[in-house]
Amino acid sequence: MDYEHIDFPAAVRKLAARVGISVVEEGGNVVDEDRERAARRRLLQLHAEAAEWFHENLIKREFAAPARKYLRERGITAEIAKRWQIGYAPDEWDAFGSWARDRGYDPRDLVASGLVKTKDDAADAPSRSTYDRFRGRIMFPICNDIGEVIAFSGRLLKDKEGAAKYLNSPETPLFRKSKVLFGLDKTKRALIEANCAIVCEGQIDLISLFEGGITNVVAPQGTAFTEDQARVLKRYVNEVVLCFDSDAAGKKAAERSLDALLQNDLIVRVAEMPAGEDPDSLVRREGREEFEKRVTAARDFFDYWTDRELANVNLMSLSEKMQLAHRMSEIIARVHDRSMRHEIATRSASRLGVPTNDFLSLIPDIKPAWRGSTGPMDTNPYSWRKIDFLCLLALSSRVCRDYLLAQDWRDVTRTNPDMEPLERILEANFNPDDPASVATFVSGLAAGEDAFMAKHLARKVPADAETLVVSWWNGLKQEAIERKLRSAESRLKLPGLTTGDVVNLQKEILDLQEQLHELSPAREADSNCRSTGGDRTSQSNP
């Protein structure tokens, strides 16, 4: 638990897996669990043997000569390829499938693994029932954090029209792309010791850094981080240094990663790569020490982002300045730590030449997410906060969940980071009417989050839930509009506004006031619901 920063059940499962002991977990259907375990073992064995077959192709087969040449040019020797079990998939429709069937694998398992696709998935496939997903690609095994192969990423060796350069395995019982970090099984100890993760885009970048002696590295399965990946990373480090490519795609990936990283209270810095360079080419050309100097000198994300934006803004134009101020305030609002947020906002206001208090007024206040209850559980729904109440309904009622999903809910939740739990529930794919489906969703959450959700599941859904969900949601919507209105009114007080700026702000204020007026019936309904609740009115309402 201490060494790998995991909880007790996870430690038990990992140790048991290493020595081949089955861990029996009570509470489920024994027959179904045995069937799932057997299916998982088959898929793990298939992936392990597939990795060996792909690697043998790369090392021994004549048709893989171009792949070996490409890897040598990228600094990947035969020894490195062996350590990372890099392989090659022949450029044939059924080479892997034929090999796997000859070894006795059931075609259904091949399809379930994602290594083989059905004919219906491609109009130009040959006249057979299945065909290989990976063809003519250098193969990088993707492992879970204990080193078991669970998926593959294939890099195209020859460009083909309409074909992606990189192709990952699809979602399978073994592989959830959004939850896996490439290389973590080899680098997690170095991450813990450094308390810092160097994040690069691709597999070759990571391998080159690792083999060059820079071992506290990870790579997402794609370019930008997901929230699940950020939560995994937070188990090991408190700081992240993004080393994405210098091109436009790399810069966008860095910005897209920010939300997930900040929501997990990770400090984010950016190590800029020279034009036309990536971590792989830099570490091979400059060496480990020079690359580490770049990492040490990496700037805080907000300094990096501000410099980039200021280069394209005329600060003499009030309109452009205020547009940038709003973009900056939206990004700064994602920082959960209050003192850090205030420090970043103060520096940003100074860079823009905007009064600090005026700039701070643009940033929504943020309270800690995933609140826990230290006192006895209150069974009266009218004393819960609106967000907590809606979390219960979205978890427990299909009708209420469908209503919330039909609303423009992201426009409301993104204005208040305290609504992250509700946002997480609405983003997830589960059936509130199926306890097993809900349990699967909760079990996939990080420590603290699962307890937060379990707390709500233990509460009883009120009989008038379908009526309440409308009025309570409209209450949150009203609060979001009021925040926007206060922001617009604050901007209207700024000195030096042009006539056009004043007119635009006045229009925005009138539009927001009209939106509030349209919500008046909902506010009255909410008030009536509470006032007719008998003894319930004695409870403190949100």
Side-chain angles (χ1 to χ4, degrees), residues 132-388:
D132 295 350
R133 175 180 295 274
F134 298 101
R135 305 182 304 280
R137 292 179 181 268
I138 296 173
M139 301 295 288
F140 298 91
I142 298 171
C143 299
N144 58 22
D145 57 355
I146 61 173
E148 296 171 321
V149 181
I150 56 174
F152 291 90
S153 180
R155 197 226 188 260
L156 199 63
L157 194 56
K158 295 180 180 178
D159 291 339
K160 295 180 181 178
E161 185 177 353
K165 180 184 290 187
Y166 279 93
L167 177 67
N168 288 325
S169 291
E171 301 278 299
T172 71
L174 296 181
F175 179 57
R176 293 290 182 269
K177 177 181 176 181
S178 64
K179 296 186 177 184
V180 177
L181 293 167
F182 180 76
L184 184 61
D185 58 306
K186 288 183 170 62
T187 68
K188 59 187 175 184
R189 190 62 217 165
L191 295 175
I192 293 170
E193 291 173 353
N195 197 24
C196 174
I198 298 171
V199 178
C200 49
E201 288 187 50
Q203 288 87 2
I204 292 182
D205 285 336
L206 183 142
I207 292 170
S208 293
L209 290 176
F210 188 91
E211 295 295 334
I214 302 170
T215 54
N216 56 319
V217 286
V218 291
Q221 300 301 321
T223 48
F225 256 86
T226 67
E227 289 187 22
D228 288 327
Q229 289 169 331
R231 281 196 295 274
V232 170
L233 197 55
K234 180 62 178 178
R235 285 167 31 194
Y236 304 103
V237 302
N238 288 320
E239 184 178 49
V240 168
V241 177
L242 301 178
C243 291
F244 291 164
D245 292 353
S246 59
D247 58 14
K251 291 177 180 177
K252 287 182 180 178
E255 190 167 332
R256 289 201 307 272
S257 300
L258 186 67
D259 255 349
L261 296 170
L262 290 180
Q263 286 185 19
N264 285 275
D265 294 325
L266 286 157
I267 298 170
V268 184
R269 295 189 292 132
V270 179
E272 294 185 75
M273 300 291 104
E277 298 275 14
D278 55 29
D280 166 44
S281 61
L282 273 179
V283 77
R284 286 191 287 116
R285 181 169 60 82
E286 296 182 348
R288 171 183 173 178
E289 290 185 3
E290 289 301 315
F291 190 87
E292 286 179 334
K293 288 180 182 178
R294 289 184 179 275
V295 172
T296 302
R299 292 187 298 161
D300 173 82
F301 178 90
F302 292 95
D303 289 337
Y304 156 82
W305 187 87
T306 302
D307 285 347
R308 197 186 76 190
E309 293 296 310
L310 285 174
N312 301 309
V313 170
N314 176 14
L315 291 181
M316 299 303 293
S317 166
L318 184 61
S319 176
E320 289 188 33
K321 178 190 287 190
M322 294 314 301
Q323 288 176 13
L324 177 56
H326 272 280
R327 292 200 301 273
M328 292 176 69
S329 67
E330 289 171 1
I331 291 182
I332 294 171
R334 303 170 191 172
V335 180
H336 281 215
D337 184 271
R338 190 179 299 274
S339 59
M340 183 186 297
R341 189 168 68 252
H342 189 278
E343 173 65 22
I344 293 170
T346 301
R347 281 162 37 196
S348 299
S350 176
R351 297 284 301 278
L352 279 175
V354 174
T356 301
N357 288 337
D358 290 337
F359 187 78
L360 287 171
S361 71
L362 302 178
I363 303 173
D365 187 36
I366 298 178
K367 301 183 181 71
W370 308 110
R371 300 161 304 279
S373 175
T374 56
M377 185 175 294
D378 184 356
T379 57
N380 187 335
Y382 291 88
S383 68
W384 306 341
R385 299 179 63 255
K386 289 185 179 73
I387 298 170
D388 291 351

Side-chain angles (χ1 to χ4, degrees), residues 403 407 411-412 469-484 511-527:
Y403 169 79
Q407 310 306 307
D411 189 52
V412 176
V469 70
V470 177
S471 60
W472 286 57
W473 174 253
N474 282 330
L476 288 175
K477 188 175 180 180
Q478 173 196 344
E479 292 169 8
I481 296 172
E482 287 173 344
R483 281 193 293 272
K484 292 180 181 179
D511 179 61
L512 291 168
Q513 289 173 338
E514 179 62 26
Q515 291 180 46
L516 284 176
H517 178 72
E518 291 173 357
L519 283 174
S520 294
R523 295 203 303 274
E524 292 172 6
D526 186 31
S527 176

